[in-house]
Amino acid sequence: MRHGPPWMREGSMWSRSGQRPPWWPENEPYPPADWRPLRVRFMRRMAAFALVAFLLFAFAVAAFLTLLIGTFGAVSGGGGVGAFVLAAFLVLVVSFNVARGIRRLVAPLGDLIDAAERVESGDYSVRVPVRGPRELRALGRAFNEMSAHLEGSEAERKRLLADVTHELRTPLTVIQGNIEAIIDEVHPPDAVHLRAILAETQVLSRLIDDLRTVSIADAGALTLHREEIEVGRLIRDNVASFDPQATAAGVTLSVDADGAGIAMVDPIRLREVLNNVIANALRYTPRGGSIVVGASGDDQRVTVTVRDTGAGIAPDVLPHIFDRFTHAPDSPGAGLGLAIAKSLVTAHGGEISATSTLGQGTEVRFTLPRQTAAI
């Protein structure tokens, strides 16, 4: 079998076994009794239609021109043979142009049918030549964009699956190892070893919550409960919760948010953004460094900055820090914190960005629409 999708080609698993594929409709016989590729059937139907249309058109034009020119020749004394020859010539010219027009229409449609079959079989790399009339060129461009989007989504899905598998493996391995050691009486079931298991379950819980937040944001289903919030006060309260951690790390943590005013935001989600950005800054700021959380605004928006004196970010990594699972090799996190921060800021209608210099520190800046009167 020379034509058809992969599951129908000679040598494929299904063609060799003759078994019904699990996705084949129950009420349809397998294999199809008279299966032919869609493009072949389409071309044959278009050819039959074109032939019938051509014959009818040629007959009508020939009859009309023969009658018209014959009448003119009778009046002027000319013969009917010359009129027929002229009519036949005109029919051939018109028919040639009609055939060219049909070919310009059918060939791009055939390309689209072949490409659609390949996409259906899972080949998202297929692209079609953009040719033919203006409408078909627009359709070809739209198909190529759709195929490129599907290819990117499939690559992202595979990468996400690999990253999630990798991130889940470490805590599960630690939990399994500790439980086996306790069962084999290598470790006693005391508070020290049980706390280690509990800590890993908390890591798993945070990872699952983070993945859920990212997936909801990607689906556009993230619900915000907006309130009129004094942004400076929320920032000060949030930063205060990091004071013990900053003190233990020997990092100075300060706030400069008096000019932020009021904004209509979801306070829980805004705290989550701040938690992720500040925690990331603390992770990479060495002892003796400092972190400043600032906020200012105008009538339209509020701008929040988190500036640290840490190690900075390499130029080749900086454009990707808001991508999922992007983190340094020695980082204990899963690389979802800044991706979640971006999703939450975007859901508010704002923007987030970062600038960094190696050895001097990093600044993360995000803006939020005010949507209320400033004070």
Side-chain angles (χ1 to χ4, degrees):
M1 185 176 296
R2 296 177 59 188
H3 302 286
W7 50 270
M8 288 293 294
R9 292 175 188 156
E10 183 177 356
S12 69
M13 178 179 67
W14 302 112
S15 65
R16 290 196 306 268
S17 65
Q19 298 176 357
R20 178 192 297 267
W23 40 263
W24 192 265
E26 291 292 339
N27 58 347
E28 295 289 337
Y30 182 86
D34 185 25
W35 185 88
R36 286 175 295 177
L38 291 177
R39 179 168 186 164
V40 174
R41 287 184 288 172
F42 174 75
M43 289 295 187
R44 290 181 179 177
R45 290 174 181 174
M46 287 298 296
F49 170 78
L51 178 61
V52 172
F54 167 73
L55 292 175
L56 292 175
F57 175 77
F59 176 78
V61 172
F64 174 75
L65 291 177
T66 301
L67 178 62
L68 180 63
I69 299 174
T71 302
F72 176 77
V75 173
S76 60
V81 177
F84 180 78
V85 172
L86 180 58
F89 174 75
L90 292 175
V91 167
L92 288 175
V93 172
V94 172
S95 300
F96 176 75
N97 286 285
V98 170
R100 287 186 60 190
I102 292 176
R103 186 174 181 274
R104 290 184 67 234
L105 178 66
V106 171
L109 288 175
D111 294 337
L112 285 168
I113 290 173
D114 282 346
E117 286 183 332
R118 291 177 60 183
V119 169
E120 183 186 14
S121 66
D123 181 8
Y124 302 126
S125 64
V126 62
R127 303 292 187 271
V128 297
V130 179
R131 57 176 176 164
R134 180 178 60 185
E135 293 78 7
L136 286 179
R137 291 200 303 271
L139 181 60
R141 285 191 292 267
F143 181 91
N144 288 339
E145 291 178 4
M146 178 200 70
S147 184
H149 179 73
L150 289 173
E151 186 178 22
S153 298
E154 179 67 9
E156 178 67 16
R157 182 190 67 82
K158 292 180 179 178
R159 188 176 72 86
L160 177 61
L161 182 61
D163 289 337
V164 170
T165 302
H166 173 76
E167 294 298 333
L168 289 174
R169 183 181 293 113
T170 300
L172 286 175
T173 300
V174 174
I175 292 172
Q176 180 179 351
N178 278 278
I179 292 177
E180 288 177 351
I182 292 174
I183 292 175
D184 295 339
E185 297 183 354
V186 175
H187 296 319
D190 54 13
V192 174
H193 295 93
L194 292 178
R195 283 197 194 97
I197 297 174
L198 178 61
E200 295 303 323
T201 62
Q202 291 170 342
V203 170
L204 283 175
S205 179
R206 284 195 302 271
L207 178 59
I208 292 171
D209 288 342
D210 289 348
L211 287 171
R212 180 175 179 273
T213 300
V214 170
S215 64
I216 292 175
D218 285 348
L222 188 63
T223 302
L224 298 179
H225 302 282
R226 297 178 184 268
E227 303 175 19
E228 286 194 353
I229 299 296
E230 186 179 344
V231 177
R233 180 177 179 180
L234 185 147
I235 290 175
R236 284 190 290 271
D237 292 343
N238 190 267
V239 171
S241 66
F242 283 92
D243 282 341
Q245 185 178 346
T247 301
V251 175
T252 302
L253 191 58
S254 58
V255 179
D256 180 13
D258 293 335
I262 290 178
M264 185 71 73
V265 298
D266 185 328
I268 295 177
R269 295 302 189 183
L270 181 54
R271 287 191 181 95
E272 192 170 355
V273 174
L274 290 168
N275 285 340
N276 287 327
V277 176
I278 296 173
N280 194 71
L282 273 172
R283 186 176 296 123
Y284 295 104
T285 301
R287 181 173 294 276
S290 64
I291 298 173
V292 179
V293 182
S296 60
D298 53 27
D299 293 340
Q300 301 297 322
R301 64 184 60 83
V302 175
T303 301
V304 180
T305 59
V306 179
R307 186 183 304 110
D308 65 62
T309 59
I313 304 171
D316 59 325
V317 177
L318 185 61
H320 306 288
I321 64 169
F322 296 107
D323 296 342
R324 285 173 288 193
F325 299 104
T326 297
H327 58 90
D330 57 345
S331 173
L336 288 172
L338 292 181
I340 291 174
K342 180 180 180 180
S343 297
L344 297 179
V345 170
T346 302
H348 276 86
E351 297 179 350
I352 188 169
S353 61
T355 57
S356 182
T357 303
L358 281 176
Q360 298 183 22
T362 302
E363 178 181 286
V364 175
R365 174 187 301 267
F366 63 90
T367 60
L368 301 172
R370 189 177 294 281
Q371 298 182 337
T372 187
I375 61 171

